Amino acid sequence: MKSSRWQKQHIYFRSIVWASSAVVSILLLIFLLSFGFRIEVAGIYFIIIFVITRVSLAFILNNRFANSMVRILKFDYEEIERDFRMLFDKKYIRFYRKSEEDAYRYEFPGHSLSMTIRPYWLSMDMKQPATLVTLYELTAKNEEFAEMLAESIDEMASQR
C-alpha cells in the first residue's frame, strides 16, 4: 500500500453531500416515474445522477471549503502519541493533551487549532496498526501553523 499524504477536506460536508445527492436522485426518480418511464429505466437514471451528483458535490464542497487536514500513519496510535509529545516539546509548540475514549486530542493555544489521533484499520484483518491524524478548525489565520505542524509530523514519520 502507498504511504498516505495530507488531504484537505471539510469534515461536516460528508453527510450533506450524501443527503443532497440522495434527495436530487429521488426527485429525479419520482419525476421520471410520473412521466411514464419504466422502473428499470428510471432506476438506471437514478444511479447515474446519484453518482454524478455525489462526485461533483464532493469536489465542489469538500475540497473548496476545507476545514481540516487528514493523514493516515502506519504506526500504532499509542506509540506515536509519545513521539508527538516529544516532537512538540522539541519544536517548542505549546499544547494541551486530553485523553478520550479511543483517541488523544491536542489543543494548540493561540492558534485555534486542534489535532486528534485515533486508531485506524487499514484492512479487515487488523494486523497492521495505523493511526488517523486529523487537524481540525483550519482557517486562513492558522493555516501556516497547520502546514508547519504537518511538515513536522511528516519528518517525524519518515525518521521513524
Side-chain angles (χ1 to χ4, degrees):
M1 183 174 169
K2 293 182 182 178
S3 63
S4 69
R5 58 182 175 80
W6 288 99
Q7 297 177 352
K8 291 185 177 181
Q9 56 183 239
H10 197 290
I11 57 174
Y12 303 115
F13 280 164
R14 184 171 298 160
S15 57
I16 293 171
V17 166
W18 278 103
S20 58
S21 299
V23 167
V24 167
S25 300
I26 290 172
L27 289 175
L28 177 73
L29 181 68
I30 293 169
F31 180 73
L32 290 175
L33 289 175
S34 67
F35 276 113
F37 283 86
R38 293 189 350 224
I39 189 70
E40 296 86 11
V41 175
I44 291 171
Y45 281 117
F46 171 81
I47 292 171
I48 291 170
I49 294 301
F50 180 79
V51 170
I52 289 171
T53 308
R54 164 88 175 89
V55 170
S56 61
L57 283 176
F59 279 114
I60 293 168
L61 295 178
N62 205 21
N63 296 336
R64 180 172 171 90
F65 303 106
N67 71 347
S68 67
M69 292 174 62
V70 178
R71 179 162 185 208
I72 299 169
L73 299 173
K74 295 179 188 169
F75 306 110
D76 183 38
Y77 89 106
E78 298 228 357
E79 292 175 9
I80 203 161
E81 189 272 333
R82 275 188 310 257
D83 293 340
F84 281 139
R85 285 185 289 150
M86 291 181 350
L87 172 73
F88 299 152
D89 287 339
K90 187 174 89 174
K91 297 269 185 176
Y92 301 109
I93 299 172
R94 285 186 342 158
F95 67 95
Y96 299 115
R97 182 178 69 97
K98 296 177 186 175
S99 181
E100 295 176 354
E101 277 185 36
D102 231 3
Y104 293 103
R105 183 176 185 88
Y106 294 88
E107 301 286 333
F108 302 102
H111 297 288
S112 302
L113 186 73
S114 61
M115 181 176 85
T116 303
I117 61 170
R118 60 178 31 117
Y120 185 81
W121 293 271
L122 294 173
S123 63
M124 295 305 286
D125 59 5
M126 293 183 244
K127 292 181 182 177
Q128 185 178 12
T131 302
L132 179 66
V133 180
T134 307
L135 295 170
Y136 291 102
E137 301 162 23
L138 192 63
T139 62
K141 290 182 180 180
N142 64 14
E143 190 169 5
E144 185 177 330
F145 176 74
E147 293 289 335
M148 184 275 301
L149 196 60
E151 289 174 11
S152 299
I153 292 171
D154 291 343
E155 289 173 13
M156 180 198 68
S158 65
Q159 292 173 359
R160 198 156 194 261

